[in-house]
Each structure stands twice: as structure tokens, then as C-alpha cells.
Amino acid sequence: MASSLLQAMEISASQFLDIFNHYDKDGNGFIEGKELQSFIRELREARQRAGLGLTDEMQQFVSECEKDSERRIGLIQLVQILPTEENFLLFFRQQLSSCSHFMQVWRRYDADHSGYIEADELKNFLKDLLLKAQRTCDSTKLDEYTAATLKIFDADGDGKLCLGEMSRLLPDEQNFLLRFQGVKMPKHHFNRIFGSFDQDGAGFMDASDLDSLLRDVCEEYKVLDPADLPRYRSSIMELSDGGKLYRGDLCVLLCDEDGHAPSQ
């Protein structure tokens, strides 16, 4: 089935996901090794059967893979190779003006500060992202985008979508959340740091406290750039509630996976 889809002049969002999932045999989010070899071979064969040559993007990609045996591709790289019909990932990337923009919409749906939104809220979440960008799409297309996004991000099928995973909709250069993936502190360490700024035990901090905390984190975790602190602070504060940044909101960014809901 996947090889036949590779012959298409245009590939829809749902077809694109079928192709990616077919070749990502181990489900680790990348097509690599023998998976990638199979993809390249079948791509060439499919294009030939359709009477088509490789596009410039495909040819460049194949050449790079032949030079680098360790090469692997994720969703975004595959989008740039295949002739996708206004692919939903690139579509949302083109509409999102900033990380702050994304966080504003996220905050509306993560009302309980859990770091997750429910799967049944996803369609309205995506619709609001478009409205904030002054763009719309018809209901059928939005349904397709929603179904495809859910397939990607709800990997464990628990009906919840987390902030870090959903931030993959952002362009890489705007997605500072990717940097925070390197800051995964143990829950007890996070609680100690948060408590040093939340001395009255209210369970939240303000922008000034956040600024100080981020400076400390930058010193301890070299994956963050001190020069970007103002941008980190302003975007993270979009998660706040009336200027109050709650423990759970910040923990989503800084804690390891089992620390997303620390005790107060």
C-alpha cells in the first residue's frame, strides 16, 4: 500500500502518515537503517512505475543518504521530500507566528496546568491556532489534520497530548521547547528549586522569580543559551494564569517524564 502511495502526484495528510508509519517499523519516530534503505528503494521503484523521475528534493536526499550511512529522517524531513498536498505539519508551521502564539493557545486548553490536553479537545485547539493566525480551513480538512495529528502525538493511546510533543508543530528556529528537552531534572530536584522561589508555599511564581530560576538553570544545564533568557521567560509566562506561573506548568518543561505532576 505504501509503495503505491509513493506514485501519487500529491499525498494527503493521512496518506503521508500511512507512509511514515509503514517505514518506521520500530515506531521510534525515525526512518533509519534498513527502514531507510527500503524507503529509498521503493521510492525509486514507485516513481519509475508511475513514469516519473525523482524530484530535485528526492534526488538531493538520496545522494545525502548514499554519502552518510547513519542518516535518518523524521516527519518534518519526510514532508520536505514527498509531494504532500498542503501537508498539515508544514501548514501549521507556516501559520504559527511565534512560540508565544503557540503557548497562548495551549494555555487556554490546559486549564488544569497538567501539561496535557485531552484528545477530544485537539480539533478546537488546532482551529484556534488557525484563527489566531487569521487563517481558516474547511471542516473536512480540519478533521483530517486532527486525525493525523492525533496519530502522531498520542503514541500510547491514552487520549492525552503533551506540550513538548505538540510543540513539534512549531518551526525549529522558534521552538525553544526543544532546548528544554535537555533539562530533565528529577522531581525532588525540581521541587527543591521551585520551593526556593516559592517561599510562601503558594504553588506559583511571578515573572521576576522565573527570570532568576532560569538563570540558575542555564548555569547548571548548558543546553540553554543565557542570551535567550528574555525570550524563554516571555514565552513561558504565556502559560501563567494572571501572571501566576504554577508549579505544574513549569514542571512540564523542566522535569523528567515521570515528574510532570509533582506534589506540592
Side-chain angles (χ1 to χ4, degrees), residues 170-181:
L170 287 162
D172 289 344
E173 65 273 11
Q174 295 178 14
N175 190 1
F176 80 91
L177 294 171
L178 292 175
R179 287 185 175 271
F180 277 76
Q181 290 180 2

Side-chain angles (χ1 to χ4, degrees), residues 218-231:
C218 278
E219 290 180 7
E220 184 172 355
Y221 296 87
K222 305 305 181 184
V223 294
L224 302 181
D225 186 349
D228 283 337
L229 277 178
R231 185 164 66 95

Side-chain angles (χ1 to χ4, degrees), residues 198-213:
D198 177 30
Q199 295 186 0
D200 61 0
F204 60 82
M205 62 176 59
D206 60 20
S208 178
D209 293 330
L210 176 62
D211 195 51
S212 299
L213 183 146

Side-chain angles (χ1 to χ4, degrees), residues 38 63 116 132 136 168 184 189 202 208 251:
S38 176
S63 298
Y116 294 89
K132 277 190 125 356
T136 59
R168 288 163 65 189
K184 293 300 180 185
H189 184 36
S208 178
C251 193

Side-chain angles (χ1 to χ4, degrees), residues 36-59:
L36 187 55
Q37 293 173 18
S38 176
F39 169 72
I40 292 174
R41 182 182 66 254
E42 293 183 18
L43 175 64
R44 280 173 162 158
E45 292 172 352
R47 300 288 291 184
Q48 186 175 22
R49 284 196 300 271
L52 302 168
L54 296 180
T55 65
D56 290 343
E57 292 80 7
M58 291 174 183
Q59 187 59 60

Side-chain angles (χ1 to χ4, degrees), residues 158-203:
D158 67 354
K160 295 180 180 180
L161 301 146
C162 79
L163 174 64
E165 291 173 327
M166 287 296 294
S167 73
R168 288 163 65 189
L169 288 172
L170 287 162
D172 289 344
E173 65 273 11
Q174 295 178 14
N175 190 1
F176 80 91
L177 294 171
L178 292 175
R179 287 185 175 271
F180 277 76
Q181 290 180 2
V183 183
K184 293 300 180 185
M185 57 179 72
K187 183 166 59 176
H188 66 85
H189 184 36
F190 171 82
N191 282 332
R192 185 172 64 251
I193 292 175
F194 190 92
S196 69
F197 290 95
D198 177 30
Q199 295 186 0
D200 61 0

